[in-house]
Amino acid sequence: MIILGIESSCDETAAAVLKDGKLISSFVATQDEVHAKYGGVVPELASRRHIESIIPLINGALTEAQIKLSDIDAVAVTYAPGLVGSLLIGLSTAKAIAYSLNKPLVGVNHLEGHLNAAFLEYDDIPYPHIGLVVSGGHTSLYLVKKIGDYKLLGATRDDAAGEAFDKVAKLLSLGYPGGPVIDKLADKGNASAFKFTRPKFDKGEFDFSFSGVKTAVLYYYQNLQKEGKFTEQTKLNLIASFQSHVVRIICERLIAAAQKYKCKAIIISGGVAANKHLRGEIDIAAKAAGVRAYTPSIKFCTDNAAMIAYVGWQKLKNGKTDPLNLNAQANEEIGV
Ligand code: KG4
Ligand code: ZN
């Protein structure tokens, strides 16, 4: 079975071809340069760029896979959650292909895509496991009993982790997206130089909150500026301390969830899962807890269409398809 996967939920346009569960080709066009000067994604500009990129990307994925459009058996596409204008470009394209070829259409939730990205590279991930989607829009922790069976254990109450990386980077004029820059610069800073307090919740042991640490960075920055002490090294120390705090909280929640629900495996996914400090710390924490950590390659952590094609393939195997009037949804959580 050959599946064409399409993804356009935010600021990455992507197309992939999956044959019998094996990835044959995967293309991603990022729009970082379009949004960089605004310090965040501008929805209208994102939609316009998706329109320009989507057909060349699909053609690229088909050419790389050495197939014609008519060779595909189904189209899998992200329909939620995301920017509606962006989602509609991928969804309309997928519908047009499915309709013109008279082939099935399968809608995939972007979060479910992230949660299954690790399966593109590992075939020994046990169930149940703990899955974390940590991206620019989400920081959500799930108990995964089997594919399609997700229970949301906790989520961020304010900013997503990636959003906090992006906002801290904007504040310190580091550029957009902030995550990769902070990841790199943090190597040169002292991660113990600045302390951050932890938010306390009465309920929701697996919830997250990152707006406090972001604001604390702002106050440290403003005070140091006022005192004329904001040197280049101080900036690097602040970046490293911020990253280390965020990473520590994520690791603690993941391991605590694995222990509580007696899971032998944890999976991380989403753009922030590309963070090398997070990947390293999760490996260490997982080993110490006797749990296996599955971290997809960076190209499968950030937005891509391979993970969408993979979930589409699983759905099709279970006889699930969607009608051509499937609509885009800006907000659609899974496992709630
Ligand atoms: O999953 P993704 O590509 O798009 C969304 O669905 O949001 O995630 C994008 C987010 C951005 O906030 C970006 O700054 C962050 O992932 N990110 C990183 C790294 N690479 C991307 N955050 C920390 N470290 C990284 N290396
Ligand atoms: Zn994503």
Side-chain angles (χ1 to χ4, degrees):
M1 189 193 289
I2 300 179
I3 298 179
L4 172 67
I6 298 176
E7 154 67 40
S8 69
S9 63
C10 190
D11 62 340
E12 257 103 28
T13 327
V17 174
L18 193 84
K19 188 176 180 191
D20 300 326
K22 197 170 163 290
L23 188 64
I24 309 294
S25 65
S26 177
F27 279 44
V28 180
T30 68
Q31 304 181 357
D32 290 349
E33 86 288 358
V34 176
H35 306 288
K37 62 173 176 281
Y38 306 100
V41 178
V42 181
E44 178 59 23
L45 298 183
S47 306
R48 289 186 208 172
R49 185 52 78 92
H50 283 309
I51 293 173
E52 289 165 10
S53 309
I54 196 138
I55 301 296
L57 271 171
I58 291 172
N59 286 338
L62 295 171
T63 306
E64 172 110 341
Q66 299 184 338
I67 58 165
K68 301 187 296 298
L69 187 60
S70 54
D71 293 329
I72 66 164
D73 296 301
V75 192
V77 61
T78 307
Y79 72 96
L83 302 169
V84 167
S86 289
L87 286 165
L88 283 172
I89 312 301
L91 186 56
S92 310
T93 309
K95 285 180 185 179
I97 294 171
Y99 179 71
S100 64
L101 297 176
N102 197 22
K103 295 284 160 75
L105 174 79
V106 200
V108 176
N109 180 296
H110 183 79
L111 300 170
E112 188 171 11
H114 276 309
L115 275 178
N116 286 280
F119 286 90
L120 289 161
E121 297 175 291
Y122 300 99
D123 55 11
D124 62 344
I125 305 174
Y127 290 105
H129 58 252
I130 300 294
L132 174 77
V133 180
V134 61
S135 67
H138 289 83
T139 308
S140 301
L141 197 61
Y142 300 89
L143 172 64
V144 185
K145 292 191 188 145
K146 60 178 189 323
I147 183 151
D149 186 345
Y150 313 102
K151 182 175 181 238
L152 183 67
L153 302 178
T156 182
R157 296 184 176 198
D158 38 58
D159 291 352
E163 198 179 344
F165 272 91
D166 293 337
K167 287 178 175 169
V168 164
K170 191 174 180 180
L171 167 73
L172 301 175
S173 308
L174 303 175
Y176 175 85
V181 194
I182 290 182
D183 192 351
K184 210 162 152 204
L185 291 178
D187 293 345
K188 301 180 200 147
N190 172 3
S192 326
F194 292 89
K195 301 278 174 257
F196 298 97
T197 51
R198 287 153 178 276
K200 286 236 170 6
F201 308 131
D202 292 338
K203 276 191 202 147
E205 59 184 312
F206 299 119
D207 279 355
F208 300 88
S209 165
F210 296 111
S211 76
V213 58
K214 171 200 71 189
T215 310
V217 170
L218 171 70
Y219 290 156
Y220 275 130
Y221 169 70
Q222 286 176 337
N223 291 337
L224 287 161
Q225 282 276 31
K226 237 184 272 163
E227 293 163 14
K229 291 185 189 157
F230 197 69
T231 62
E232 195 52 32
Q233 188 57 49
T234 315
K235 181 164 94 180
L236 296 172
N237 294 347
L238 187 54
I239 290 167
S241 303
F242 158 78
Q243 177 180 267
S244 162
H245 178 78
V246 172
V247 163
R248 197 172 317 124
I249 287 175
I250 293 173
C251 285
E252 282 174 11
R253 297 278 194 289
L254 266 168
I255 300 299
Q259 287 172 336
K260 177 161 179 177
Y261 292 96
K262 302 192 174 16
C263 294
K264 287 272 154 248
I266 53 181
I267 290 181
I268 57 167
S269 60
V272 182
N275 185 274
K276 60 180 185 310
H277 187 62
L278 176 64
R279 297 165 80 90
E281 288 299 308
I282 279 176
D283 271 343
I284 295 169
K287 269 193 197 107
V291 173
R292 170 130 187 234
Y294 291 87
T295 43
S297 302
I298 287 170
K299 63 179 186 240
F300 298 131
C301 287
T302 47
D303 288 350
N304 65 86
M307 65 187 191
I308 304 303
Y310 179 83
V311 174
W313 176 58
Q314 294 289 345
K315 288 192 164 200
L316 279 159
K317 284 200 296 181
N318 289 320
K320 289 190 190 140
T321 60
D322 285 290
L324 287 174
N325 65 359
L326 175 70
N327 209 350
Q329 305 289 340
N331 301 303
E332 189 190 72
E333 297 300 330
I334 56 171
V336 284

